[in-house]
Amino acid sequence: MIIQPRTRGFICLTAHPEGALQTVKNQIEYVKSKGQLENGPKKVLVIGASTGFGIASRIEAAFGSGAATIGVFFEKPSSEGKLGTAGWYNSAAFEQEAHKAGLYAKSINGDAFSDEVKQQTIDLIKKDLGTVDLVVYSLASPRRTHPKTGVAYASVLKPIGEAFTNKTVDFHTGNVTDISISPVENEEDIQNTIAVMGGEDWKFWMEDMKNAGVLAENVKTVAYSYIGPELTFPIYRNGTIGQAKNDLEATVSIIDDLLKDLGGKSYVSVNKALVTQSSSAIPVVPLYISLLYKVMKEKGTHEGTIEQMQRLFTDRLYTKDGIVPLDDKGRIRIDDWEMADDVQAEVAKRWNSVTTENLSEISDIEGYRREFFNLFGFEIDGIDYEKDTNEDVKVPSIE
Ligand code: NAI
Ligand code: NA
């Protein structure tokens, strides 16, 4: 089939398997070019392993540390005549490349919030690996069905208290407009967002795995958070999603207690704002990212997901002296280059002056747009998109 991008707003409905394979190969090459971690993880579970920071974490663990990996994700498989999702094709590519390199890699496609998928994962760890020494929690989802009560929660992306008006961009057209987002109307919206994106599910995973005896001595676990600049505070850190991130960050001490007798430790890593399927859904943020990319590229400090994860493992989680550098709130910061004063000052200056007319000059909107399509395997160098492509690609470990 000839596969072309088909978009609806910030969603791309199609994905290209050969493009996805190439993006995975590119990430593998990057990680290999950085050399091997000496004291890195060996048996790794990645929850949310198919796209964004999750696939990059899996690639870093496997190809930067020689780790066996189990990946959990929620993707649509391809079938005769029907396209799979980008994360499906990424995972097919990852397993194929991992197996070629002689690395163990198996995947589970299902709802990570459910007890069933947790049990299935535990059974697989028991059968094949015994224990895991790193658990990466990289889920991003708009909804969660609670495994104990069956209640279905939907998260909202809204400010709290008052309406938030600021600039935003339609990255397809390059139109910069003002957007006004009304605040949550009730406490329930906040609680629902915490139920979906807060720390409870991470805690459930760690509790179930601890009880099942599948966590190794000195196990580490890491989940991802975001802070960002003041200009996005109303919609991000001080908004509903920020409350969920506060909850996630507060879960660290609960999980630390749980892991104490194993000598284990849990972390939240505050990551850089990057183009992923999740971040493109947040108003205002894509315009910020476009300006940020331009400024960081000019300064030579720009990173993508794989550069971030390579640095997380090498310079934070698995340093040579075993010390994990943390901020005053106990968090790992790999958003340090994003938050550097000179970067933020320049972004803020450009934010005030950005319009539809000067957008392509002062921001990296073209880079944003291209990276968005890259997420779905499009606009990748070396891929012939006019060529007939086999859309039915298996993830080797999945029936
Ligand atoms: P993403 O949308 O690329 O990845 C989400 C992953 O979760 C995918 O593997 C997807 O299959 C999986 N998933 C979603 N619902 C699932 C379910 N019910 N069961 C199993 N798997 C499910 O998102 P991204 O951006 O990589 O986000 C990962 C984490 O990083 C999130 O906590 C996010 O808040 C955080 N983060 C993201 C930043 C960004 O700029 N994109 C910045 C800093 C942190
Ligand atoms: Na992810």
Side-chain angles (χ1 to χ4, degrees), residues 49 51 138 288:
T51 57
S138 187
Y288 166 72

Side-chain angles (χ1 to χ4, degrees), residues 48-54 72-75 110-113 138-141 197 224-226 236 245 271-274 276-279:
S50 53
T51 57
F53 284 112
V72 178
F73 46 76
F74 207 15
E75 300 293 346
D111 181 7
F113 296 128
S138 187
L139 287 188
S141 172
M197 287 297 284
Y224 301 138
S225 189
Y226 184 64
Y236 201 95
K245 290 303 185 190
N271 298 351
K272 179 192 182 192
L274 285 173
T276 67
Q277 295 185 42
S278 297
S279 64

Side-chain angles (χ1 to χ4, degrees), residues 227-296:
I227 298 175
E230 259 170 60
L231 74 93
T232 64
F233 275 6
I235 187 68
Y236 201 95
R237 195 66 206 203
N238 294 340
T240 48
I241 181 70
Q243 306 316 299
K245 290 303 185 190
N246 289 343
D247 183 76
L248 182 80
E249 291 174 18
T251 306
V252 164
S253 64
I254 300 170
I255 297 177
D256 276 349
D257 280 346
L258 186 75
L259 301 181
K260 202 171 282 165
D261 57 329
L262 289 169
K265 184 81 191 73
S266 72
Y267 300 95
V268 159
S269 172
V270 182
N271 298 351
K272 179 192 182 192
L274 285 173
V275 182
T276 67
Q277 295 185 42
S278 297
S279 64
S280 55
I282 308 173
V284 183
V285 168
L287 181 58
Y288 166 72
I289 292 180
S290 303
L291 291 164
L292 179 74
Y293 273 31
K294 180 80 163 194
V295 171
M296 292 186 81

Side-chain angles (χ1 to χ4, degrees), residues 382-394:
I383 304 293
D384 180 358
Y385 292 97
E386 303 304 323
K387 215 183 79 202
D388 201 34
T389 302
N390 175 21
E391 75 285 349
D392 194 8
V393 179
K394 299 269 176 267

Side-chain angles (χ1 to χ4, degrees), residues 56-68:
S57 305
R58 193 175 189 185
I59 291 169
E60 166 61 20
F63 290 91
S65 186

